[in-house]
């Protein structure tokens, strides 16, 4: 019997280990939410589901992702009144209906008399007959449950210790279930932190093991871990007797009465309802600790992140063992989602800063049409571009790259671009003077940083372009009769010489030709050596269909798709991509 139960226990831990490892390999919020849905569906035996991400701090992002549900299906579900929908109950911090734990169970939607008519209608239309929903609550920075909508973490109730004959197995890597602490038989609920306000009826059908140590199922095959008398040491007068919670049954005095009403998420409810930040185990024990926060992380937990709902095709509900495993998995998943959420917000803030430092739109100048494509690096690169009208109908075009990545590179890019604009207005007709001034500024103000730049002074009416480069890739001329690189003079990047100066180059594009300026990120992302990358770019430019060569937008799109198979949409960690096309009419 013990060996069978131990085998079931090891099987559960192995399953959790595999699922949490798969979740830990996700690097984006979207992929983590999809993995959460797939793993949860496997644990509770459902075929479809959805997760609603709506952080309690109100800072977003807010999204709904479905498993086996199309956009139209999610739209139908969103028409259910929020207060009666399973996810809406959890997101608003309302007490779970007919359940002492923070879960929403609808075992048979068609037979529930008090179910909202719209909820029943949507369920019938989409073909699901039951649902099971749980919240996504990460731990606070101190390792405690963060109360939704507040900064103060709530208490954690240590789970009761298993009986003396309970086998103990090591935790799998990547999973932290929280070590159980010894229970004190005969202790009232009011004397145990977090127990006040929970009625005895909330824990009348479980064991004293809690969620900190999973209990293998009994030999009866009912799938309920540690139910009834199968728990070792669960006799009268011992922890686990009569429901397995110290202070209940014949092993101890009656539990204290419910405490004053609790408030969660601005909603007052009786003390008998389970605190929303808790996670319930198979015994109904709340507040079980999950994975410990990373040491030194120091990030604020955004409270409740959202809710996950799984849908069944037939009337049913997960058994206690399935709920137990899902609660452990969701606690780990919520911690992982909180970290990815913080990272997503940081990247969004960086992207907003970068977009604000680049041109909001391209100018319109007679005789030339412009198009640009910018694919930003995932961690924020320093590639930039500019197009600014100059006196006497001239146009200044610039492309550059700052060394490094991250917020510091983005800020340096903004300073360099602003300086170049000022120099271009003052002496734009001499690109060498513009880059010489930029070299001097960079060397004096940021001696530890280098940059490359290319500046072109265009006179569209004369179809004349004068350009100079500082360590930057040569531009391309694309036309009916030629596709060739502009032979610019070799020069070092800005900031690498005590005095920079290289001769400028003058070209005269023919009507219908396009001047293509780009950043070296386009070549690096291709993954080939530089000579092969240049050849690949040349072939892509030469292969632009003749019917598209008069449209600069079509030219840059074709080149981007040809050089980069993913079109530059897959964000590289450090390399930006910039393509700036000027088509002369």
């Amino acid at each position: 019997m013990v060996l069978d139960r131990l085998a079931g226990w090891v099987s559960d831990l192995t399953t959790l280990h595999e699922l949490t490892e798969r979740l830990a390999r996700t690097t984006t919020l979207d992929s983590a939410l999809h993995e959460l849905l797939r793993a949860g569906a496997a644990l509770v035996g459902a075929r479809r589901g959805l997760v609603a991400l709506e952080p309690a701090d109100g800072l977003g992002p807010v999204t709904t992702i479905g498993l086996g549900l199309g956009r139209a299906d999610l739209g139908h579900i969103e028409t259910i009144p929020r207060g009666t929908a399973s996810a809406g109950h959890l997101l608003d911090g309302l007490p779970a209906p007919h359940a002492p734990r923070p879960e929403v169970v609808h075992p048979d939607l068609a037979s529930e008399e008090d179910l909202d008519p719209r909820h029943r209608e949507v369920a019938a239309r989409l073909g699901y007959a039951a649902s099971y929903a749980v919240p996504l609550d990460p731990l606070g920075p101190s390792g405690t449950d963060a109360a939704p909508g507040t900064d103060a973490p709530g208490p954690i109730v240590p789970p009761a210790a298993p009986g003396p004959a309970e086998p103990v197995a090591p935790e799998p890597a990547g999973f932290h279930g929280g070590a159980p602490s010894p229970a004190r038989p005969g202790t009232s609920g009011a004397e145990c932190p977090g127990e006040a306000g929970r009625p005895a009826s909330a824990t009348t059908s479980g064991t004293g093991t809690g969620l900190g140590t999973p209990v293998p199922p009994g030999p009866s095959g009912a799938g309920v871990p540690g139910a009834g008398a199968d728990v070792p040491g669960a006799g009268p007068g011992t922890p686990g007797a009569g429901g397995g919670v110290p202070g209940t049954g014949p092993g101890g005095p009656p539990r204290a009465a419910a405490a004053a009403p609790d408030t969660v998420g601005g909603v007052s409810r009786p003390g008998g309802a389970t605190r929303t930040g808790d996670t319930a185990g198979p015994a109904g024990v709340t507040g079980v600790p999950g994975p410990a926060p990373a040491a030194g992380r120091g990030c604020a937990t955004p409270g409740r992140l959202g809710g996950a709902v799984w849908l069944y095709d037939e009337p049913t509900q997960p058994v206690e063992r399935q709920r137990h495993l899902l609660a452990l998995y969701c606690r780990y998943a919520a911690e992982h989602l909180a970290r990815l959420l913080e990272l997503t917000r940081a990247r969004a803030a960086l992207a907003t800063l970068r977009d604000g430092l680049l041109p909001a739109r391209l100018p319109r100048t007679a005789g030339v049409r412009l198009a640009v494509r910018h694919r930003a690096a995932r961690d924020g690169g320093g590639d930039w571009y500019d197009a600014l009208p100059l006196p006497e109908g001239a146009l200044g075009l610039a492309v550059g790259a700052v060394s490094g990545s991250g917020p510091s590179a983005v800020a340096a890019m903004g300073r360099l671009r602003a300086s170049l604009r000022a120099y271009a207005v003052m002496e734009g007709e001499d690109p060498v003077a513009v880059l010489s001034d930029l070299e001097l500024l960079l060397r004096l103000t940021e001696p530890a940083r280098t940059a490359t730049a290319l500046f072109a002074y265009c006179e569209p009416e004369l179809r004349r372009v004068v350009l100079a480069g500082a360590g930057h890739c040569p531009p391309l001329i694309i036309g009916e009769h030629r596709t060739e690189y502009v032979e610019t003079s070799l020069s070092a990047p800005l900031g690498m010489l005590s005095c920079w100066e290289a001769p400028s180059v003058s070209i005269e594009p023919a009507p219908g030709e396009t001047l293509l300026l780009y950043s070296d990120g386009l070549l690096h992302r291709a993954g080939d050596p530089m000579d092969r990358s240049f050849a690949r770019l040349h072939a892509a430019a030469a292969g632009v269909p003749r019917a598209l060569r008069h449209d600069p937008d079509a030219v840059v799109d074709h080149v981007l798709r040809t050089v980069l198979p993913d079109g530059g949409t897959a964000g590289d960690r450090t390399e930006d991509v910039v393509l700036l096309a000027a088509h002369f009419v």
Side-chain angles (χ1 to χ4, degrees), residues 2 5 9 162-168 231-234:
V2 173
R5 296 179 58 211
W9 186 12
E166 187 72 18
V168 178
V231 180

Side-chain angles (χ1 to χ4, degrees), residues 13 168-172:
L13 290 177
V168 178
E171 287 182 340

Side-chain angles (χ1 to χ4, degrees), residues 104-541:
V104 180
V105 187
H106 293 289
D108 190 353
L109 290 166
S111 63
E112 293 186 19
E113 298 180 356
D114 57 347
L115 188 69
D116 184 87
R118 181 57 185 169
H119 196 165
R120 182 180 289 104
E121 177 185 348
V122 170
R125 175 176 297 184
L126 300 184
Y128 65 89
S131 66
Y132 179 69
V134 295
L136 298 175
D137 292 330
L139 296 180
S142 61
T144 57
D145 285 325
T150 66
D151 296 329
I156 286 183
V157 180
E166 187 72 18
V168 178
E171 287 182 340
F175 167 73
H176 309 281
S181 59
R184 294 179 298 169
T187 303
S188 67
E191 297 172 355
C192 184
E195 292 293 302
R198 194 175 61 191
S201 61
T203 55
T204 56
S205 61
T207 67
T209 59
L211 290 181
T213 306
V215 180
S220 60
V224 181
D230 290 336
V231 180
T238 63
V245 178
T248 62
R255 184 178 299 278
D262 191 10
T263 301
V264 174
V267 179
S268 179
R269 55 189 174 82
T274 305
R275 185 170 59 85
T276 312
D278 294 337
T279 297
V285 179
T286 62
V288 179
R297 188 179 64 191
C299 63
T301 303
R304 174 158 293 177
L305 299 181
V309 185
W310 286 274
L311 308 175
Y312 297 91
D313 296 339
E314 301 293 337
T316 186
Q317 61 178 313
V319 297
E320 289 295 328
R321 174 174 171 270
Q322 292 174 321
R323 299 185 187 187
H324 172 76
L325 295 177
L326 183 65
L328 292 173
Y329 178 80
C330 285
R331 180 61 61 88
Y332 179 89
E335 277 290 287
H336 185 65
L337 290 174
R339 290 189 289 269
L340 292 179
L341 178 65
E342 183 184 9
L343 182 60
T344 301
R345 289 175 174 178
R347 286 174 176 167
L350 185 62
T352 302
L353 172 63
R354 181 185 58 246
D355 294 342
L357 296 175
L358 292 173
R361 61 178 183 175
L362 298 176
R364 294 188 176 183
T365 304
V368 65
R369 295 166 57 195
L370 302 176
V372 68
R373 295 295 182 270
H374 180 216
R375 299 291 184 263
R378 197 169 52 179
D379 291 342
D383 291 9
W384 55 277
Y385 67 92
D386 206 351
L388 66 156
L390 297 175
E392 301 179 358
L395 179 69
L397 300 176
V399 173
V402 176
S403 60
S405 62
S408 62
V410 173
M413 173 266 290
R415 293 190 295 268
L416 198 67
R417 173 179 171 266
S419 302
L420 186 141
R421 290 174 70 93
Y423 297 142
V425 171
M426 293 187 295
E427 46 193 10
E429 67 279 358
D430 186 359
V432 171
V434 172
L435 294 183
S436 297
D437 294 342
L438 200 62
E439 155 72 24
L440 179 61
L441 178 70
L442 189 67
R443 180 158 40 89
L444 294 177
T445 59
E446 300 186 57
R449 192 179 295 277
T450 61
T452 64
L454 182 94
F455 179 74
Y457 179 79
C458 304
E459 296 175 287
E461 293 184 357
L462 302 177
R463 294 194 188 90
R464 177 173 176 268
V465 179
V466 181
L467 58 89
H472 203 80
C473 305
L476 263 171
I477 284 287
I478 306 172
E480 294 287 341
H481 305 291
R482 61 172 177 170
T483 299
E484 59 187 23
Y485 287 103
V486 177
E487 295 295 335
T488 56
S489 301
L490 296 176
S491 64
L494 301 174
M496 295 189 67
L497 296 176
S498 58
C499 180
W500 179 90
E501 185 169 339
S504 60
V505 177
S506 180
I507 58 175
E508 296 182 359
E513 291 188 333
T514 301
L515 179 66
L516 183 65
L517 285 70
Y518 54 93
S519 67
D520 57 357
L522 178 66
L523 305 176
H524 294 160
R525 274 212 200 178
D528 295 328
M530 291 302 290
D531 56 343
R532 294 184 61 183
S533 295
F534 276 115
R536 188 174 183 177
L537 176 59
H538 184 277

Side-chain angles (χ1 to χ4, degrees), residues 42-73:
L43 287 174
V44 300
R47 189 171 63 89
R48 293 179 289 175
L50 64 93
V51 56
L53 184 69
E54 187 176 321
D57 57 9
L59 300 179
V62 176
T63 184
T64 301
I65 294 178
L67 173 68
L69 298 171
R71 291 187 177 182
D73 299 333

